[in-house]
Amino acid sequence: METKYIFVTGGVVSSLGKGIISSSLACLLKARGYNVTIQKFDPYINIDPGTLNPYEHGECYVTVDGHEADLDLGHYERFTNIQTTRANNVTSGRIFQNVIDKERRGDYLGKTVQIIPHVTDEIKRNVKALGNTGNFDFVITEIGGTVGDIESQPFLEAVRQLRWELEDNCVCVHLTYVPYIHAAKELKTKPTQHSVKQLQQLGIQPDILVLRTEHDIPAGMRKKIAQFCNVSPDAVIQSVDAPSIYDVPVMMHEQHLDEILLRKVNIEPKGQPNMTPWKEFLTKMHSATAPVKIGLVGKYVELQDAYKSINEALFQAATYNDHLLDLKYIHSERVTPENVEEQMKDLDGVIIAPGFGQRGIEGKFVALEWCRKHDIPTFGICLGMQCMVIEFARNVLGLKEANSTEMAPNTPDNVIDLMEEQKSISNMGGTMRLGAYDCSLKPGSKVAEAYGKTEVKERHRHRFEFNNDYRERFEQAGMKCVGENPATHLVEVVELPDHRWFIGTQYHPEYSSTVLSPSPLFLSFVKAAIDYKNNKPKE
Ligand code: GLN
């Protein structure tokens, strides 16, 4: 079958959940047996989001091949169980860089290099790159930003051109917003009409409209939108706020989005998508009533998206453990020896978040000391694991000034230090230890028990590491290095075996946790938290 291309654009406002709609579509097509991939085109100039502060763009997601990617790729993986790569996320920066490199090499043979055709051709080449591998029946391309943005114009022009070239192998899905005006008690279609007009002005006629809304949109109103926007009435679909993002694929299927889409590319849909395992997850999700209360200690607590993959991995793990996730964000800058008991006392488990830099770090040590001494299930991820090591060095090994050289370059006890290969690096973008690396786990350790095996591969994003000069002292005092990279002997996992669950991973297991294949480590952590909750001494 020829590869079919689906473009997902957005209008009216950002944050409507284009990533969730794209992921839901991919989920449904995959459940119908098609080979699917999703890619995101982001109109900003950064080469990748690796250099972006979480305040700018939420979490930075990492692919197996070590690309620092937009957080929507996390949704793609969680919804489809398919791994993405650097080819699945392209920014304007990457496009421009490629064009400029080609210009310098003389590839344009003396031509004036312009947005059209050179930049748009480069975009088109990238749009089709995954399709050209022959591995996919469907390539879904989400265009970041909102129609009307200056930044996204070259991308939309490329979509316009591709629509002609691809003929029937192309579908455009446009996501808009239908606001509810409380004072008038009315839903309003005007912003959608404007947004579609804007798209039409750029030469793109959407085939399917998905309307985000907080309230049901009456059939008559949908018909009116269809009429105004040149879209068939059945292809105007509503996406009402759902209790969970994981409900969206089923909601879309109930309105036949997958069938409508298949017909647009001349495929007569046969049977139904196999959503059985997905629906089993939803049943668990909707039946869970008992809460498990997890505290996440980090410095970006006011930002919903900063720890996206951790939130989702925890949510999946709680669901599979038949519990409701009650996630409490704890601002690491506000944890002090005076208030730590108050902040920690009703938690069933604690996560110490990843991160960079000094801000909030001392609060993480205070929280960790409390958790270690009170044997609360505790999970340190990346910087969180490094903090576990530093706290143990200071308070158990008695190395009062122990630190990471990231925070204190002149510390006498550099228990966490810059990796050898990082020492000569000065460029910040894409230069960390990134992507999936092998890790051998010690047989009999809690972490090996959690995975049910001793060889795993997980994704990394860091420059600093456990300093092996101190390994023996830690081991003797009770902090065991139970996971290491078989080739370099870098320590990847530490644990306190005599504790309920006190594990730190240099890697990020949250990146590989999906709905259909949740992270074994998160499952085990949440289970330990539930056991702890059920066996807590009554006050
Ligand atoms: N800042 C630490 C490092 O670079 C940890 C990074 C992280 O938590 N992702 O090693």
Side-chain angles (χ1 to χ4, degrees), residues 289-308:
T289 51
V292 54
K293 189 159 188 168
I294 306 291
L296 176 68
V297 184
K299 64 179 168 182
Y300 296 115
V301 292
E302 68 283 44
L303 274 183
Q304 260 203 41
D305 283 346
Y307 305 111
K308 191 81 200 160

Side-chain angles (χ1 to χ4, degrees), residues 354-357 381-383 386 406 461-464 506 508:
F356 295 82
I381 299 176
C382 206
L383 179 64
Q386 298 175 353
E406 179 181 3
R461 184 174 185 246
H462 60 111
R463 293 184 201 282
F464 295 81
Q506 185 58 77
H508 293 258

